[in-house]
Amino acid sequence: MAEVRLINGVSACDDVSMPTPGTPLPAALIPDCTKPEAHHAAYRSAKTNDAIFVCIARQGSRWKVELDALASSGPTIPDQAVAVLQSAVEVLVSDGTVTQANIAPDYISIWAIESEQKAREIAAAFHAAMQGLRQLYIAVPVPRRRA
């Protein structure tokens, strides 16, 4: 068993306040932003909480997923990480789960998803991925190339 050294009867860990990184939303909590006022409110909430924005929205009989990292002040997701997200979207398109998507280091839009449940599942997965990739990039920055 590891020994905890006490200083004046207090563990060295007691005084440490560690920041809580952005927490991914579970599928059930992804906001439905079909109505413009719901979208504005959810985006405003993401900005206020310094979080990556995520939502789903009905488009006719299908659904759309939207993520926007610009709502938070964290770093842009590096190109290497965007490639991972791009690969995942390509699989969704090739198997017919989605018909179209736009991906950039700070924004993802995926649409023509058949059901709300599937849209929520995709939104939660990509939100978790963006959060995780951002945290990984903060912990392990990409080395700069020499000119």
Side-chain angles (χ1 to χ4, degrees), residues 74-130:
T76 299
I77 297 171
D79 291 342
Q80 297 90 334
V82 173
V84 171
L85 299 171
Q86 179 70 38
S87 293
V89 167
E90 287 171 2
V91 170
L92 292 172
V93 171
S94 70
D95 79 0
T97 302
V98 306
T99 59
Q100 294 181 344
N102 288 325
I103 296 186
D106 53 9
Y107 183 81
I108 298 174
S109 180
I110 306 168
W111 61 95
I113 303 165
E114 189 172 312
S115 71
E116 177 182 0
Q117 180 60 32
K118 191 63 176 177
R120 287 183 179 285
E121 177 185 312
I122 292 168
F126 275 84
H127 193 243
M130 285 181 82

Side-chain angles (χ1 to χ4, degrees), residues 24-35 37-46 52-58 63-67 116 119-120 123-124 127:
L25 287 175
L29 297 181
I30 302 291
D32 179 350
C33 294
T34 300
K35 295 182 180 177
E37 57 273 9
H39 189 280
H40 294 305
Y43 195 86
R44 204 170 33 255
S45 175
I52 294 173
F53 171 74
V54 60
C55 77
I56 60 168
R58 180 181 283 281
W63 290 83
K64 178 181 181 177
V65 168
E66 183 180 346
L67 296 106
E116 177 182 0
R120 287 183 179 285
H127 193 243

Side-chain angles (χ1 to χ4, degrees), residues 131-146:
Q131 294 281 10
L133 290 168
R134 178 182 274 177
Q135 291 303 315
L136 182 62
Y137 179 68
I138 290 168
V140 185
V142 176
R144 298 189 190 275
R145 293 189 179 144
R146 292 182 182 168

